[in-house]
Amino acid sequence: DDLANRRTFFGMMTVYDACILGCMVLNVSTKGSIAVFETLGITIAQSHYNLLSSKAGFIVSTCGALGVFALLSMGYIAIFLNDLQMIIYGMLVMIFGILALTAGDDDADNPTWIYVVAIFMIYSIGYPVGHTALIGLFSKIIGRRPQG
């Protein structure tokens, strides 16, 4: 408790407050990137990978279903990685997926497998693992303190 109530080197907030703020920023960044893919994922598939919306929707939904298995495996993953490691791993996988999508040309001649791999990295691994670990860490930081 003494460490949590110490002031940070900025002096404006405690270590506890800085941790809460950090979790909130990470939460916005992970949810924000998923929101972009939910909004633009099919459009990107059509314009950059020449995919029909039905095929792109199938790819996204399949990868989302695989992400459920990642969520169900969180207890097993936690044996090998702590919350912070899972957050970093999830964010890195999401970043690599995003970079894979941005590496293509603006024309529709990009290979479809790049889209599939990128969506798999984002929806099946990165977001489920990273965001779930982030929510778990946030819950551990809050603990039994009043939340209102």
Side-chain angles (χ1 to χ4, degrees), residues 68-79:
V68 172
F69 290 110
L71 287 172
L72 295 174
S73 303
M74 289 299 286
Y76 181 74
I77 295 170
I79 295 171

Side-chain angles (χ1 to χ4, degrees), residues 114-132:
I114 293 175
Y115 181 79
V116 173
V117 169
I119 294 299
F120 176 80
M121 291 172 74
I122 294 165
Y123 279 100
S124 299
I125 301 170
Y127 183 74
V129 171
H131 190 69
T132 304

Side-chain angles (χ1 to χ4, degrees), residues 68-144:
V68 172
F69 290 110
L71 287 172
L72 295 174
S73 303
M74 289 299 286
Y76 181 74
I77 295 170
I79 295 171
F80 302 103
L81 302 172
N82 63 35
D83 288 336
L84 186 60
Q85 291 169 327
M86 284 190 276
I87 292 167
I88 292 170
Y89 172 75
M91 295 290 278
L92 285 175
V93 171
M94 286 181 71
I95 288 168
F96 288 134
I98 291 167
L99 290 175
L101 283 178
T102 59
D105 294 331
D106 286 340
D107 59 1
D109 292 335
N110 296 306
T112 304
W113 68 267
I114 293 175
Y115 181 79
V116 173
V117 169
I119 294 299
F120 176 80
M121 291 172 74
I122 294 165
Y123 279 100
S124 299
I125 301 170
Y127 183 74
V129 171
H131 190 69
T132 304
L134 176 63
I135 300 235
L137 180 63
F138 185 77
S139 177
K140 289 175 185 175
I141 291 171
I142 294 289
R144 294 180 180 258

